[in-house]
Each structure stands twice: as structure tokens, then as C-alpha cells.
Amino acid sequence: MLPSKETEAGLSVAGRVRAVFPPLVTPFRADGALDLGTFEANLDLYTPHDLGGVLVLGSNGEAGSLDEGEKLALVGIARAHTQGRLLLVGTGLESTRGTIALTRKVADLGADAALVLTPHYYKARMTSEALARHFEAVADASPVPILLYSVPAFTGIVWPAGLAEALSAHPRIVGIKESSGDVGLLARLRAGTPPSFAVVSGSAPTFYPALCVDASAGILAVACCAPGVVAALYRAHEAGDHGRAGDLQRALMPLAVAVTAGHGVAGLKAAMDAAGFHGGHVRAPLLPAGEAARREVASALDNLRATVA
Amino acid sequence: MLPSKETEAGLSVAGRVRAVFPPLVTPFRADGALDLGTFEANLDLYTPHDLGGVLVLGSNGEAGSLDEGEKLALVGIARAHTQGRLLLVGTGLESTRGTIALTRKVADLGADAALVLTPHYYKARMTSEALARHFEAVADASPVPILLYSVPAFTGIVWPAGLAEALSAHPRIVGIKESSGDVGLLARLRAGTPPSFAVVSGSAPTFYPALCVDASAGILAVACCAPGVVAALYRAHEAGDHGRAGDLQRALMPLAVAVTAGHGVAGLKAAMDAAGFHGGHVRAPLLPAGEAARREVASALDNLRATVA
Amino acid sequence: MLPSKETEAGLSVAGRVRAVFPPLVTPFRADGALDLGTFEANLDLYTPHDLGGVLVLGSNGEAGSLDEGEKLALVGIARAHTQGRLLLVGTGLESTRGTIALTRKVADLGADAALVLTPHYYKARMTSEALARHFEAVADASPVPILLYSVPAFTGIVWPAGLAEALSAHPRIVGIKESSGDVGLLARLRAGTPPSFAVVSGSAPTFYPALCVDASAGILAVACCAPGVVAALYRAHEAGDHGRAGDLQRALMPLAVAVTAGHGVAGLKAAMDAAGFHGGHVRAPLLPAGEAARREVASALDNLRATVA
Amino acid sequence: MLPSKETEAGLSVAGRVRAVFPPLVTPFRADGALDLGTFEANLDLYTPHDLGGVLVLGSNGEAGSLDEGEKLALVGIARAHTQGRLLLVGTGLESTRGTIALTRKVADLGADAALVLTPHYYKARMTSEALARHFEAVADASPVPILLYSVPAFTGIVWPAGLAEALSAHPRIVGIKESSGDVGLLARLRAGTPPSFAVVSGSAPTFYPALCVDASAGILAVACCAPGVVAALYRAHEAGDHGRAGDLQRALMPLAVAVTAGHGVAGLKAAMDAAGFHGGHVRAPLLPAGEAARREVASALDNLRATVA
């Protein structure tokens, strides 16, 4: 029985954030229109894998390039195809008011938890106090648990020391996704929050060392195109098999780098195409992956298969 | 006759971006709701001043914290109260598609030009090529002229060398608002674009030196609370009176810094309240100005009045 | 046989960089004068510990604040008191010429290897090519093996992708000390260089996860004040005891952070004083540790002792 | 009467920092050895120009790549060939102690003032307080007046608000060279310090706008290869001829950018060669200017001559 299946009765959401989750991409057609059928097809392709659920409307989902109607359609479809597993949904907007409104709507559609991005336009004003009030207000108003979401490469905001530790006292703030790849920060977050608080790695190139400092889970782009390997890494560490976990991490590294720092969402979509999933087009202003990028991700994927097989 | 009145017949939009424009704030009530009546009242307070028009939905307008309906309502009101002057409207969203859609809507409502913010979430992907394609696609689809908008303090993106120079060849890209305060960059933009291309300063602390390197205009936060002084500075420089322009710049400096780098939008709103305009509340996650900030901006305003009077 | 490849008893220097090394502080008197006697006393205090040797003239040694005579005196003393262990010496100066000259001098005094800091004053010019030529020229001229040294917090230079991988082909470039704490970078360095190339962690807050991605060794500030615990962590990992290694890492964390990011060299010296070593004064422009910093490091040290004992 | 306040013919050093100064390059031979004869020849080539004196051992002088003996030799020669004009000498080292020692030595050799670079290795520790103590200690011990020197592109340290304003009260701290090109900062420094305090621009691309906000002088790389034009710009502004000053600034811009941000010291040396001065080689790790860079600076120089003639 899959670990995500046996937990419906009573286990908290945070308690179920102990696994690997792909942050789903949003497939577009060549003309930029949403391709919901392809999105749906991907969801079913993930079903057989050892995953804790999925994240919709994250950074890899090009959430900032979607309008609200598109977002809600994606959530509805994801809910229908993620039965028995966690449906995490990114709801962070620039304003507290907008974030609350969207969080309520996705909760109505069945989201299990909301991932709330750091607001970041007015960078210099996003003090620890401003961020604390924002996350607290969202959590106060949210019908579902909240995961904080820090991703400095996109927001330009370094996560403030002590903020997650303070917010972890809120009954509906149940974890944080930390995507900078700073393993030392993950370790400090782990040390400063209760064991029930989920400290989630958002950086595949450091997933194994993150697990070594007791990260709870991974929401990792590379899990969109290589879910089996990432899940196997997670389980190897869980079983105390450091040798195998380290081997899988080394094998994953080139692909993990290529689909994030290397070529971004367009690279991830190309890797999904090469792996039998459906990446589809990106939405402008993102540029499509060039030939060289496509070859690089395909080659990284081939090497991964050869190594792991 | 006000310079903005005599130009309706035939002068291009870019040709009319030769003046000072306040980037209007969006007043909110204490509960975060939009306060349209106050917005309207401010517009009428600007009418007697020597301004080229107004900008709606800029960074000082907390555009990223508004939903589309709110944005369109503000544009409609602004159009009704800005007769005979330019109505510039910020329409930049993260996606090219969304930006085009919003630009068309505000053009329908009577906007004279759209100010298009640099998309910035996927920072590492926003290469010169990606940005060029974005701005060109928006300009191709826009019914009204386009002003580029660079504001690295908010976007985290340094404006790429050569981009504006290349885009200035597009018939509907008629200028750039540069808000970093980098006077050397303004000078290079001026040197590399046709004289008809508007190079607009978005940084009041360097407005006079920007004019010295032939900036065309200013869209400046401080013009929301001290429109007369900023306009007088512009006209002094235009008349070749460097002594007076320099004096006005020096007099403006403390207030100009306080309402931008110092205390941001909340500080600007406090200064507007102190100056007889209506700032109103900010929308969270921005925090309201504290007592010390209110005192500082009020004092800077008093000093400005005493100096200039 | 190249002298750089084989040293005492046949084992190469790189082969001996498989342990923990304290980056020695340089004690000063209150008036800023060098305190060689105290330096010597510290060396003898490290002798009983399970260390691979010592580093002299690193960042924690305030090397940039020493003149050449002071540097050579410290090397001479360190050599005399580090018999049978590796004596690593920081020799990186801004110019290639100066670095070569100093490297030769410390080699004459018996240094086993030189740690060569990234030159960094002309940041924008320090391209991968410029750095490659610098390190190669130093290695070509050096009588002893070279360890590259990247520490972006001090140099402002992010280590270029592929540089260490290319330089690892040089017969006298035998490793790199990476002090940013970026465990993903360590993993990539490890993956891209031969197993004989030492990939050394310079960041104690991530030492255990660094070992998990096969870092060779640690040159860690906290080893100056808690050498036994750091060595025990290293050995626990070496023995495959991940539980104990993780526990020791968690126990070390507060002290490790306090003596680096928290309070810097002054904090480290205070911790050494509290731990029975001799920190002594810092040299200006560094400021001495304040009372609060002293209490914090002393408390972190007490907690460490209580946890580990 | 303090020796620092009055010099030859009664005018203070700060009072004489009202002109253009070239920050002299240090010519090297192909093998990296110092080329003192060429240095001397350059000095005589500057004599006929309308300059306030020269700066030796600045960033363009590759000071960080020179040993102390080389530095003193250069100062001695410069003194002999700069009779009647100001000899400014860069003396900033990482330690306060070393900076004081070098300042005293160059004062003994006849330097009129010392330019003291922000210490920067321990960036996070270089608080406003640490920097204040450093500059005050140097000024207390210096026999000659001190100019502060901020150059964030090389130091990575943003100049702290209020620091120069506080230090301007010290009787021997008589000015600041600000090289970031931030004209707004220059204006704030000017507004916050006494008129006798020299606020010096170190950025040629913004020299004219810097003069518009009342900068006192310019220490500008481009003055090494085009001293006449830079001096003419300064005098045009002094005479109130803004039209000519602006024209000269526009004409200078491409060369000014090429020899700083564009190609650095190697580019400047190539421009000097092309202009009839003697640039000579750079010292590694700087790389020599490539063919393209040489052509670009030569072409910028030709265009400048054609425009100005």
C-alpha cells in the first residue's frame, strides 16, 4: 500500500508531507493557450509512482503567468486526479487580500494545503514583521493548512532568520518549502521548529544532503520528469541506506541542475517530453528551450536511466 | 495656457512626455478596500498644477496588489479627470499574454500610453532576447504607444545594455522610464536613442542631474505630494536657469528620499496627507507608516515649504 | 616522481587532506602587536587532538592584516610545532607575482601546501580565464602543492562553474577549499574532479551534509575552539555512523554559526578564550567582540559540552 | 594652525581639490616588472595640462598588486615631477595599522594627502562603526590630510549613510572620492558636509551631472588618456557654460565607459597608448586588452578627437 493512501483517517497534512511531490508544470499550446488535456494526462502518469501528492501552481507551474480562471481550472482537474494523495496549491499573490481570496477558492475546490510564496515586489519593505503579518493573516483566514514558500532566486528576498520559527507556532502554518538549496538554512529551520513542522527541500541538487539534516520531504522539479528515481532516493535515505541514497543523488545531479539553474521551466518541459511525460510549450516571456538545451536534458536523462537501471 | 493643453492636435504622445507626471497612489480604506472617491479627489487637486498628466497603476499605485476590476475602475476615473492631459497607465504583468490583454483594455478606456514593467519572476531567464520579444509582442498588439519601465529596486533586474536602443526602432515603443537613479544610464539611453524617444527619470533624488543629461521628463513619487516644486524645477531647467534648478533639487532632496528609499509608498501616502492631498491606507503586506516616519515626512515637507516659499 | 605528488611516507599531500584542520587565528596584543607566544601555545594545545594538521594565514588568521615578516614568523613557528602533520599556509595575494613569491617563501619554511585565495579586487575582470591563468601560474612556480580557495563572503566572487574541474588536471593543484556552505557546489566539485582531488568544506554549519556528498576534509573555524567535537563528527561519518554524525552536527550548529556568520573572527577568538585556547585581540578594523557576543559564544560552548558529554 | 588645514601659499589641500586629477596607471614591462621610466615620462606629459595634480596608487594604479618598495618608488618619482600641484597617494590597506604606517611613509616622501580606501575583506564586519574607527585612527595618526575613498565595484561595500557626514568633523578628513557613479549619493554627501569638504567624483560617465550637484573635483580614469577634454569640461561648468559642459560630457561618454566598466585598467592602458601616453602592460591576474578592446578604445578616442576638435 502506498504511504499516501493509508493516511486519510486522521493524520495531519504536515504529517503527510513526508514524501516526494512533483511541482506540476502547466502545459500550453504553441499559441500560449492552456492545454488542460495534457495537464490531465500528466497527472495520471504520476499515479503509479511513490509520491506524496502533487503541487499545482508553483513556480514550475508558471503560476504568475496564469489568470485566476486558469488557476482554478487546473486545481479542479488536479483534485479529480489526485485522489487519496495530497493536493498542494500555490496561492501566494503580492497582496495579502488577494492571497486570502485565492486560498479560500482553492480550498473550496479541495486543496489540502496552500503554499504561500513570499510577497516580494516591495523588497525593501518586506521586513520580517511585514512578512510575519502577511503569513499570519493568510493563515488566520485560510480554511486549510499553510506551507510557507521561500525561493530567493525568484523573489530576491533572503528568508529572514527566525521568521519560520516564530510562525511555526500558528496552528495552521504547518511547514516551509525552502528552495534556495542552502542546506545550512534547512538545518537551522529544522532545529528551530517542532518535529511536526514540515521542512521541505525545494532544491533537487541538494536533496540527499537535505535529508541528512532531517528535511521532511522534497517538492522538486526533477520529480516531474524522473519521479521514480527521486522517490527511490527518498526511500533509501528513510531506510538508512546512505550508500544508495548518495548514489542516486549523484546520478540525479546533472538532470536536476539542467531542469532548474541550467534551463529553467523550458528545460524541465523538454525533459518531461523526453521522459514520456508531456511538457508542452512555455508561456512568454519565457523562451522555449533551444536545440542545445533539449539535447542536454535528453542526454542527462539517458545517463540517469543508464546509471540507475 | 498650460503646456499640456495646447498639444492635442497632432503632437505625438512621446512629444508630450516633456513634463512632470505624478505616479498616482491608490488610496485604500482601513479595511483594505479601494477608496475611489479619494482617488478622484486627488485627481482634481492635481488639475491646477503644471503637470503633463498622470500615471495610474505604477509601483506607487500598488498595482501588483490590485485585481483587474479595481485597475479598470481606476483607469476610468482617471480618464474622466485628466482631460486634455496624458493618461499613462501601467499594464505590465508577468506574462506577455496578460500584459497584452490588460493594455488593450486600458486603451479602450482611453489611456494615452501604457507603461510596461520588466517581467521579472524568472530573473535568470529574462535575457535581453526574452525581454526584447516581450516588449515587441506587447507593442505589436497594443493600440497605444508603449513606454518601457525599468525599476531594478523592485524587479531585481538590471536593465540590459542596448535593449532600449534596439527597441526604440519600434514605431509604438516611444520611451522608457528609468527608476534606478543611475544618471549615467540615463545619459547612455539618451545618447543611444532618437531625440523623439522619451527618456524619463523615475528618481526624484537625481531629477535635476537627469535633466542635465537631457532626460525628457519625470514620473516621480514626490510629485504626488509636491507637484508645484517638481514642476518648477523642470521649468527652471528648461529655461536654462541652472542656479534655480539646483536650488530646488537641493530643497526637494530630503522629501524625495523620504517618500522613496526612506519609507516607500506608506511614506508617500503620509506625505500626501500632510500636504493636503489624500494618501489613505496602504494595502498589506505593506505596513502603515509609523509615527517616526510620519514625523519625518511632515518635517521634510515643512522644510521644503520654508525653503521654497 | 614529482615532489608534489608524494610526501613523507609516500602518501601525497592530497591523500592526507582527509581530516579536520583548524584555520589558526593570529593572536594580537591589545595594542595590535603580534603575540607569537600565544600563537605557539595554541599550537601545542591542538597537538593531542585528532587533526590532520593546521592552516596558517587563512581568513580566520587575519592574513590580510599581516605584513610579510609577520606572516613568515607565524609559518616558522607553526612548522616547528606541527611535526608529522600537514602545515597548510594561505599565500594568496592580489597579484600573481606576489602570490608566487610568498608561496616560495613559505615552502622554504616547510609548508606542505599553499592555500591560494581567489584574487578579487578587480571583480569584473576575474573571469574564469583570468583566474585559471592565475592559479596555473602559481602552481607552475610553486615548490609545493596548491589548494584553491573560494570564499565568496569575503571575495565577492562566485566560484566559476568548471574552473576547478579544469585546474584539477594540473599536477600541483591538488584540491579546493570551498567556504560558501553551498553543499550543491561541493557535490558538483566532487563529481567533476578525480577522487584524488581534495574537496574541502570550509563551512562548519554544513560539515556533516558536506561529508554526505563526499567532501574530503574540513578546514573549519569552529575546529579552533572545539577540535575534539569536529574531529569526532568527521570520524563518525567515516565509520558510517550517520546517526552520531548528525547528532554532533546538530550539537555544533549554534557555536559553528556564532563563530562565523554570527560574530566573525572576534567571536571565534572569544570562543577560544572560553574554551581554554587563546584567542587574543583582533586587529583593527575588526572590532572586538562585545559583551553580548562573548556571552553568546560562551553559552553555545557550554551547551555543546553539555550535549556532547 | 593645523598643518593639515593650510599648505603652500595658504590654501588648504581641500581648497585645492577643485580640479581634475588623473589616477595614474602603473606601467609594467611584459614580464611584470615595474617600469619606472615610463611612469616618469607620463608624469611629464601631464604637466602642460590644466590639472590639479595627480593621484598615485589608486585602483587604476593597480596598487593592490604592488609591494611596498614599489609603492614608495612611485611616490618619490611622482613627487619630483608634480611640483606645485597636489600629489594625492592611495594608502588604504586592509588593516588600520598597515594603513597608518604607509600613510606616514608617503607623507615623508612629500604626499600632500592620502586617499584611504574602505577596508573590505571582512565585509559583514565593516559596519559604519568599524569604518568610522578605522578612518579616524588613520586620520589621527596621519601627518597629512585624508580623503575617504569609496569604490563599491571593487570593495563590495556600499558606503554607509551618514558616515562621511560624521567624519567630516575631523580636522584632517578633508574629503571623499566617490566612485560608484551614484549622483544622488554625491548630492547627499554634498548636502551633508561643509562646503570646505571636498566631494570628488570618481566616475567619468557621470562627471558633468556630478558637477551639477556641486561635486568639487574629478579623479577620473579617462583623464589619464584625455586630460585636456576632461579639464575643459570642468572649466566649462565652472564658467556656467552648461551647453558646452554637456556637449563635452556626451563626447567623452564612450571613451569614459570603455576605460572603466568596459575594459578596466587594461583598456585604460590601451587608450593611453593610443593617445600618446604610455600605458604599458598590466600585472596578472589582470589580462591584457584583446584586439577588439584595443580597437574599441582607439575608435572611441578618434571619435572624441573628431568631436571636440
Side-chain angles (χ1 to χ4, degrees), chain D residues 27-244:
Chain D
F28 298 103
R29 301 185 192 284
D31 68 355
L34 199 57
D35 183 350
L36 290 175
T38 296
F39 179 74
E40 202 167 357
N42 278 334
L43 281 162
D44 292 338
L45 290 170
Y46 293 125
T47 302
H49 287 286
D50 177 16
L51 302 167
V54 298
L55 169 69
V56 185
L57 305 183
S59 298
N60 284 298
E62 296 173 69
S65 290
L66 300 170
D67 67 30
E68 188 178 284
E70 293 173 327
K71 289 182 179 182
L72 298 180
L74 290 162
V75 173
I77 291 170
R79 180 68 287 172
H81 291 261
T82 318
Q83 294 309 319
R85 292 185 178 177
L86 284 182
L87 175 60
L88 312 177
V89 180
T91 63
L93 297 173
E94 194 54 34
S95 76
T96 309
R97 164 184 280 247
T99 303
I100 289 171
L102 183 58
T103 302
R104 287 176 166 156
K105 287 179 188 172
V106 306
D108 283 349
L109 292 175
D112 292 305
L115 185 73
V116 181
L117 179 70
T118 318
H120 53 275
Y121 190 71
Y122 301 103
K123 292 179 180 20
R125 306 292 148 208
M126 291 302 102
T127 58
S128 200
E129 184 190 352
L131 292 174
R133 289 201 197 177
H134 173 76
F135 288 120
E136 283 169 349
V138 174
D140 286 346
S142 171
V144 292
I146 293 297
L147 293 161
L148 311 171
Y149 178 24
S150 173
V151 58
F154 296 146
T155 63
I157 294 190
V158 174
W159 186 256
L163 179 58
E165 291 82 342
L167 292 172
S168 68
H170 192 290
R172 253 190 312 277
I173 300 180
V174 302
I176 182 168
K177 179 186 178 198
E178 203 295 307
S179 295
S180 74
D182 181 340
V183 176
L185 172 55
L186 273 186
R188 291 193 297 280
L189 291 170
R190 180 68 290 162
T193 57
S196 63
F197 189 81
V199 175
V200 182
S201 167
S203 165
T206 54
F207 190 37
Y208 166 57
L211 293 172
C212 289
V213 299
D214 296 324
S216 317
I219 305 179
L220 305 167
V222 76
C224 293
C225 56
V229 182
V230 186
L233 194 171
Y234 184 81
R235 296 303 174 199
H237 177 268
E238 197 174 40
D241 189 347
H242 281 267
R244 178 161 164 74

Side-chain angles (χ1 to χ4, degrees), chain A residues 56-305:
Chain A
V56 184
L57 305 183
S59 298
N60 284 298
E62 297 172 70
S65 290
L66 300 171
D67 66 31
E68 189 177 283
E70 293 172 328
K71 290 182 180 182
L72 299 180
L74 291 163
V75 173
I77 292 170
R79 180 68 290 173
H81 291 262
T82 318
Q83 295 308 320
R85 292 183 177 180
L86 284 182
L87 174 61
L88 312 176
V89 179
T91 62
L93 296 173
E94 194 55 36
S95 75
T96 309
R97 165 183 279 248
T99 304
I100 289 171
L102 183 58
T103 301
R104 286 176 167 156
K105 288 177 188 173
V106 306
D108 283 349
L109 292 176
D112 293 304
L115 186 72
V116 181
L117 179 70
T118 318
H120 53 276
Y121 190 71
Y122 302 103
K123 293 180 179 20
R125 306 293 146 207
M126 292 302 100
T127 58
S128 201
E129 184 191 352
L131 292 175
R133 288 201 199 176
H134 173 76
F135 288 120
E136 283 168 350
V138 174
D140 286 348
S142 171
V144 293
I146 292 297
L147 292 161
L148 311 170
Y149 178 23
S150 173
V151 56
F154 296 144
T155 64
I157 294 190
V158 174
W159 186 255
L163 178 58
E165 291 82 343
L167 291 173
S168 68
H170 191 290
R172 254 192 310 279
I173 299 180
V174 302
I176 182 168
K177 179 186 178 197
E178 203 296 305
S179 294
S180 75
D182 180 340
V183 176
L185 172 56
L186 273 187
R188 290 194 297 282
L189 291 170
R190 182 67 290 162
T193 56
S196 63
F197 189 81
V199 175
V200 183
S201 166
S203 165
T206 54
F207 190 37
Y208 166 56
L211 293 171
C212 290
V213 299
D214 296 325
S216 317
I219 304 179
L220 304 167
V222 76
C224 293
C225 56
V229 182
V230 185
L233 193 171
Y234 184 82
R235 297 302 173 199
H237 177 268
E238 196 174 42
D241 189 346
H242 281 266
R244 177 160 165 75
D247 287 346
L248 290 169
Q249 176 70 54
R250 270 186 296 280
L252 263 178
M253 185 69 85
L255 184 63
V257 171
V259 300
T260 53
H263 303 289
V265 177
L268 175 58
K269 288 186 164 182
M272 288 176 64
D273 289 338
F277 299 92
H278 311 296
H281 294 267
V282 290
R283 194 168 256 187
L286 287 178
L287 298 178
E291 245 336 285
R294 291 194 165 271
R295 272 198 302 272
E296 183 187 334
V297 296
S299 157
L301 195 68
D302 285 346
N303 290 338
L304 174 61
R305 284 164 167 160

Side-chain angles (χ1 to χ4, degrees), chain C residues 278-299:
Chain C
H278 311 295
H281 294 267
V282 291
R283 192 169 258 186
L286 287 179
L287 299 178
E291 244 338 285
R294 292 193 165 271
R295 271 197 304 272
E296 183 188 334
V297 296
S299 157

Side-chain angles (χ1 to χ4, degrees), chain C residues 31-33 59 62 64-65 94-97 117 121-123 125 130 133 153-154 260-264 283-287, chain D residues 31-33 59 62 64-65 94-97 117 121-123 125 130 133 153-154 260-264 283-287:
Chain C
D31 67 356
S59 298
E62 296 173 69
S65 290
E94 194 55 35
S95 77
T96 309
R97 166 184 277 247
L117 179 70
Y121 190 70
Y122 301 104
K123 293 180 180 19
R125 307 291 147 209
R133 289 201 198 175
F154 296 146
T260 53
H263 304 289
R283 192 169 258 186
L286 287 179
L287 299 178
Chain D
D31 68 355
S59 298
E62 296 173 69
S65 290
E94 194 54 34
S95 76
T96 309
R97 164 184 280 247
L117 179 70
Y121 190 71
Y122 301 103
K123 292 179 180 20
R125 306 292 148 208
R133 289 201 197 177
F154 296 146
T260 53
H263 304 289
R283 193 168 258 185
L286 286 179
L287 298 178

